[in-house]
Amino acid sequence: MSTDNARIRELSSQAYKYGFVSDLESDAAPRGLNEDVIRLISAKKNEPQWLLDWRLKAFRHWLTMREPSWQNVHYEPIDYQDIIYYSAPKPKTPGPKSLDEVDPQLREMFGKLGISLAEQERLTGVAVDAVVDSVSVATTFKHKLAEVGVIFCSFSEAVQNHPELVRKYLGSVVPYSDNFFATLNSAVFSDGSFCYVPKGVRCPMELSTYFRINAADTGQFERTLIVAEEGAYVSYLEGCTAPMRDNNQLHAAVVELVALDNAQIKYATVQNWYPGDAQGRGGIFNFVTKRGKCAGAHSKISWTQVETGSAITWKYPGVILQGDYSVGEFYSVALTANYQQADTGTKMIHIGRHTRSTILSKGISAGHGQNTYRGLVKIQKGATGARNHTQCDSLLLGSQCGAHTFPYVEVKNPSAQVEHEASTSKISDEQLFYCRQRGIREEDAVPMIVNGFCREVLKELPMEFAVEAQKLLGVSLEGCVG
Amino acid sequence: MLDIKNLHAGVEGREILRGITLRIEAGEVHAIMGPNGSGKSTLAQVLAGVDTYQVSGQVLYDGQDLLAMTPEERAVAGIFLAFQYPVEIPGVGNLYFLRTALNAVRKQRGLEELDAMDFLELAKERMALVEMDPSFMNRSVNVDFSGGEKKRNEIFQMAILEPRLAILDETDSGLDIDALRTVAAGVNALRSKDRALLVITHYQRLLDYIVPDRVHVMANGRIEQSGDKDLALQLEKHGYGSYEQAAMGPGAKT
């Protein structure tokens, strides 16, 4: 464990000390995508034949697909042949080159947030699986978890050490043919995290993955798979940061969760990928497919997300409520400032009887930001007694931004109860004046009011994440006030 | 402490304050009474720094040009407005809000910020002043508070922030007699030789409990008459009618 920690610290402090683009010598695939690149990725990772076949099947299917255009976001077409699909840091890293590459503002921002790998790792009881570019560099606390039978490792390691589990569950929630970006991910995914909690085990600590996009022009294609066996419990935290780049970078991840009878999975994300600059240049394109399956009766899956980064966010973490009496939850804060665009929401698919879902979405738009909630609640024929409650609240700051809500409801069982509430509000002059009369400056009052608006969602986050998320909201709003 | 000279204020060309002159010294309690629409609340808002009015004239606060200060600078300088309609801030805990305010003010004054524990002690002590239920501490600021609870909360905030000049804008409105006594007792506990109070009210009733040194009658944007506490009693008997007529006399705008 201590060597793993030392390794994380070494890599992370290097990254921050010498600028956000760490000069890790990359072991990269040639630019572009074809079957040879996929074979190369698979070979680099020493994968079994079945996995290569799965990748190739996905790739061939992807070639027949078209990029979706229904979402309420606008961007220049992505040249998929101009992306490097595999980049791994070499184990021995040479010295850094220069600080000048990095925008001091960005480093200042990360300083303000006080988040770094080293700090995350120091948080008591949090196990970190650090993903720098495409390869999981080190996994901490692995041994402690192993004592109770929890497997927590990089996806690549899981393929090597637990191929039967990976083979059983990979693609079982998000099939390789699911959608354009998930299919691309299935073909080229490089690494990610894997977690397996055996029957009856309550995972003794919060698990955390910390992603970073580091090398230039590297698409990042993570794949995360979490399985909770009967009666198991796990809480998983995912944090994302990325360095500043002038070119937009593609991030197309897939997360699959499987909860068997009476199992519970909580999955929390705080996403602050680089959002682009104040003029809307640069930033991450975040096209992510996240889905959980409540496969067993009385199982429960909760998604909590705080999305403040990325130039474009396209994600709909959903739950397939297959087991009777299973529960799906989605708590979301999405903030768009400057020229950021977000089209995000959830899908709750009720299949089992007496299944319940809760959706609570808080969208904040500032500057020229465009914020769209898009949600699907589907009650299948057999879902007797299913219930859903949806609440979508939007907060507008300024007059140039936009908030949009697209709720889709499909009900095929007459016993279902589906409720939808929506509101749109502004921070009022009265609220601001009240704060200022009490001595609180406007630039402090606005983040306070925004945090208040998000409180119901933030309280779903584990403590240390909630604190980070609050700071993040404040930082993201800087320059949008007044 | 506060020296108002020929203060005018208007909105969209409509004049609401039409030359207010008023001087308040430390330790004094002044009451401003008057009918609805006489400009009482506008005066309170202009003193606190609401920027929707066109303002002219002069206001000196401890010799400083008050009208040139931002609302938060006025708060730091010790001006407190108990709002007639306290504002709701959903999701922001009452205590958190107040600690943020107190620490913002303390920081500007060069004092050490209070940590959560010390602040909690202070809050408990001051809540007792207005007999406020501790359950209000963690509720969102003014959200789902009754009218009376909101007014208590204003005085509680005043007790925490310890202003030098407190302006109470119709703090009695919406209070039943028991709540009125409690709030008034809280205010009286905060009276001191260093602190001035400007109490704005429509009814004499409040002044039975918060006894003023001076009473001013306002009508149509002017102070029509000033006197001691007996003036309030006369008003109670005769109403505001004569002032309104006087102000509506030749040359007055309607």
Side-chain angles (χ1 to χ4, degrees):
Chain A
M1 188 182 110
S2 60
T3 39
D4 283 353
N5 280 349
R7 182 88 188 106
I8 288 186
R9 197 172 295 119
E10 187 193 323
L11 274 164
S12 59
S13 63
Q14 196 165 22
Y16 286 86
K17 187 175 172 190
Y18 300 112
F20 216 69
V21 180
S22 47
D23 191 14
L24 308 173
E25 191 184 312
S26 287
D27 175 12
R31 205 171 278 270
L33 184 56
N34 53 47
E35 292 202 2
D36 287 342
V37 168
I38 292 170
R39 286 176 206 279
L40 175 78
I41 295 170
S42 190
K44 284 268 184 201
K45 301 181 147 305
N46 192 29
E47 285 177 354
Q49 186 64 36
W50 64 264
L51 190 49
L52 174 60
D53 291 346
W54 195 75
R55 287 177 180 275
L56 290 171
K57 197 163 57 174
F59 177 64
R60 287 166 195 153
H61 186 71
W62 183 72
L63 291 174
T64 70
M65 300 172 93
R66 300 186 63 154
E67 204 172 321
S69 58
W70 45 262
Q71 61 268 31
N72 187 24
V73 296
H74 305 280
Y75 57 93
E76 293 293 308
I78 299 168
D79 182 354
Y80 291 92
Q81 294 303 335
D82 194 34
I83 291 171
I84 297 165
Y85 284 87
Y86 180 78
S87 162
K90 284 191 173 166
K92 293 253 163 98
T93 58
K97 221 163 30 191
S98 113
L99 257 167
D100 308 336
E101 273 184 271
V102 180
D103 187 302
Q105 271 188 328
L106 187 79
R107 285 171 46 222
E108 194 186 327
M109 184 183 111
F110 285 108
K112 278 179 196 165
L113 290 172
I115 45 169
S116 66
L117 268 179
E119 184 166 322
Q120 287 262 323
E121 174 237 350
R122 274 198 301 273
L123 293 167
T124 324
V126 179
V128 180
D129 178 34
V131 178
V132 174
D133 286 328
S134 306
V135 171
S136 179
V137 177
T139 304
T140 54
F141 295 98
K142 205 187 294 180
H143 303 298
K144 193 176 168 190
L145 291 168
E147 280 171 23
V148 290
V150 173
I151 301 166
F152 180 45
C153 61
S154 74
F155 205 93
S156 305
E157 283 174 89
V159 169
Q160 299 304 319
N161 301 330
H162 309 282
E164 70 296 342
L165 287 173
V166 175
R167 194 170 185 177
K168 184 173 176 186
Y169 291 108
L170 177 70
S172 70
V173 186
V174 179
Y176 74 87
S177 57
D178 192 79
N179 68 70
F180 185 84
F181 297 109
T183 301
L184 177 62
N185 175 288
S186 301
V188 302
F189 72 89
S190 37
D191 212 328
S193 296
F194 175 82
C195 175
Y196 175 83
V197 188
K199 190 171 170 177
V201 171
R202 190 180 169 87
C203 188
M205 60 184 79
E206 309 264 2
L207 303 181
S208 169
T209 306
Y210 206 78
F211 292 112
R212 288 196 51 201
I213 295 177
N214 194 56
D217 297 329
T218 310
Q220 186 148 13
F221 303 94
E222 255 74 37
R223 188 122 199 152
T224 297
L225 175 58
I226 299 175
V227 179
E229 288 273 12
E230 282 172 39
Y233 167 87
V234 62
S235 169
Y236 192 89
L237 317 176
E238 173 198 60
C240 312
T241 66
M244 180 155 134
R245 292 283 176 200
D246 286 330
N247 299 327
N248 291 302
Q249 286 180 294
L250 178 63
H251 181 252
V254 171
V255 176
E256 296 180 277
L257 313 179
V258 181
L260 300 181
D261 286 355
N262 297 302
Q264 187 181 353
I265 301 175
K266 291 171 88 166
Y267 194 105
T269 304
V270 173
Q271 184 263 113
N272 63 325
W273 298 116
Y274 178 54
D277 66 15
Q279 281 72 45
R281 289 182 301 238
I284 300 292
F285 288 0
N286 194 27
F287 295 96
V288 176
T289 304
K290 292 183 169 183
R291 198 172 302 150
K293 192 198 286 189
C294 284
H298 298 279
S299 56
K300 180 174 176 181
I301 290 178
S302 307
W303 296 103
T304 305
Q305 61 173 25
V306 176
E307 305 280 332
T308 63
S310 296
I312 292 176
T313 299
W314 179 98
K315 74 182 264 207
Y316 314 91
V319 184
I320 299 169
L321 296 151
Q322 193 179 64
D324 293 346
Y325 296 95
S326 59
V327 175
E329 293 174 336
F330 174 75
Y331 302 102
S332 170
V333 168
L335 182 148
T336 51
N338 294 328
Y339 285 86
Q340 283 177 276
Q341 308 173 66
D343 191 313
T344 184
T346 184
K347 291 180 187 177
M348 293 291 178
I349 313 295
H350 292 253
I351 300 170
R353 291 178 299 125
H354 304 288
T355 46
R356 279 184 292 135
S357 62
T358 303
I359 298 169
L360 179 55
S361 163
K362 302 274 184 180
I364 301 134
S365 315
H368 293 81
Q370 293 293 328
N371 209 316
T372 300
Y373 168 81
R374 188 184 302 276
L376 170 67
V377 176
K378 192 170 182 174
I379 314 277
Q380 306 263 47
K381 213 167 176 183
T384 302
R387 277 160 55 193
N388 163 267
H389 181 82
T390 299
Q391 187 181 334
C392 295
D393 298 325
S394 304
L395 186 67
L396 300 171
L397 281 78
S399 54
Q400 309 285 314
C401 54
H404 317 272
T405 305
F406 298 105
Y408 302 86
V409 178
E410 289 176 32
V411 179
K412 295 194 173 122
N413 185 307
S415 66
Q417 282 181 40
V418 178
E419 297 166 349
H420 183 91
E421 288 177 44
S423 75
T424 302
S425 54
K426 285 187 146 186
I427 293 183
S428 70
D429 291 343
E430 286 77 15
Q431 282 174 327
L432 279 180
F433 182 74
Y434 193 68
C435 294
R436 296 177 71 191
Q437 207 299 306
R438 297 303 185 244
I440 304 168
R441 296 176 311 164
E442 187 167 339
E443 54 263 48
D444 298 323
V446 169
M448 182 174 74
I449 294 169
V450 168
N451 270 303
F453 172 75
C454 301
R455 183 159 81 161
E456 291 157 283
V457 172
L458 297 180
K459 74 179 186 201
E460 297 292 330
L461 287 172
M463 184 67 127
E464 65 271 22
F465 248 37
V467 171
E468 181 181 317
Q470 284 192 15
K471 285 187 193 166
L472 199 53
L473 289 170
V475 170
S476 305
L477 287 167
E478 272 178 17
C480 296
V481 177
Chain B
M1 175 187 277
L2 185 71
D3 197 359
I4 304 172
K5 281 184 188 145
N6 196 26
L7 180 65
H8 290 254
V11 176
E12 291 162 7
R14 189 168 59 89
E15 204 170 31
I16 302 171
L17 299 184
R18 306 196 300 163
I20 300 280
T21 296
L22 178 64
R23 198 181 161 86
I24 301 176
E25 297 301 338
E28 291 180 350
V29 175
H30 288 236
I32 292 193
M33 301 184 68
N36 293 327
S38 57
K40 306 188 297 288
S41 287
T42 299
L43 175 62
Q45 289 177 2
V46 167
L47 293 177
V50 170
D51 62 3
T52 49
Y53 300 98
Q54 292 102 48
V55 178
S56 64
Q58 191 188 48
V59 181
L60 291 179
Y61 173 74
D62 282 341
Q64 286 176 278
D65 178 4
L66 188 74
L67 298 177
M69 294 161 76
T70 64
E72 51 269 39
E73 285 168 347
R74 298 181 201 202
V76 169
I79 290 183
F80 178 90
L81 172 63
F83 284 65
Q84 182 178 6
Y85 303 108
V87 180
E88 298 183 3
I89 309 178
V92 176
N94 206 27
L95 219 55
Y96 176 81
F97 172 77
L98 204 42
R99 182 156 67 92
T100 305
L102 179 63
N103 281 335
V105 167
R106 287 179 68 96
K107 199 173 160 187
Q108 288 300 313
R109 291 177 186 164
L111 297 168
E112 212 175 300
E113 296 183 33
L114 286 189
D115 66 23
M117 292 312 289
D118 288 344
F119 180 75
L120 192 62
E121 284 305 305
L122 177 72
K124 279 181 181 164
E125 181 201 316
R126 301 292 152 89
M127 276 185 127
L129 271 183
V130 284
E131 297 177 18
M132 214 164 134
D133 191 284
S135 69
F136 283 85
M137 289 193 190
N138 294 314
R139 286 169 58 176
S140 297
V141 177
N142 292 321
V143 175
D144 297 328
F145 284 32
S146 72
E149 287 161 352
K150 284 182 182 172
K151 296 301 175 72
R152 272 178 212 233
N153 198 27
E154 292 295 292
I155 304 305
F156 167 57
Q157 294 188 25
M158 172 181 159
I160 291 281
L161 294 172
E162 299 181 314
R164 298 196 54 234
L165 171 66
I167 304 160
L168 311 185
D169 189 5
E170 303 219 5
T171 297
D172 53 334
S173 67
L175 293 184
D176 62 34
I177 192 70
D178 292 331
L180 182 72
R181 280 198 192 111
T182 310
V183 165
V187 172
N188 284 329
L190 295 169
R191 285 179 79 152
S192 83
K193 62 176 171 43
D194 303 317
R195 182 171 293 140
L197 293 179
L198 182 58
V199 181
I200 291 169
T201 181
H202 190 75
Y203 300 105
Q204 189 270 337
R205 184 176 76 153
L206 177 68
L207 305 181
D208 288 341
Y209 300 98
I210 304 173
V211 180
D213 300 301
R214 298 287 291 165
V215 174
H216 311 278
V217 182
M218 218 168 138
N220 292 294
R222 288 202 185 93
I223 290 177
E224 295 291 343
Q225 193 181 354
S226 298
D228 62 13
K229 62 183 190 316
D230 294 335
L231 179 58
L233 295 170
Q234 286 174 33
L235 278 173
E236 183 78 354
K237 219 176 279 175
H238 306 296
Y240 295 115
S242 57
Y243 297 102
E244 289 185 286
Q245 273 164 22
M248 298 282 280
K253 283 183 190 164
T254 54

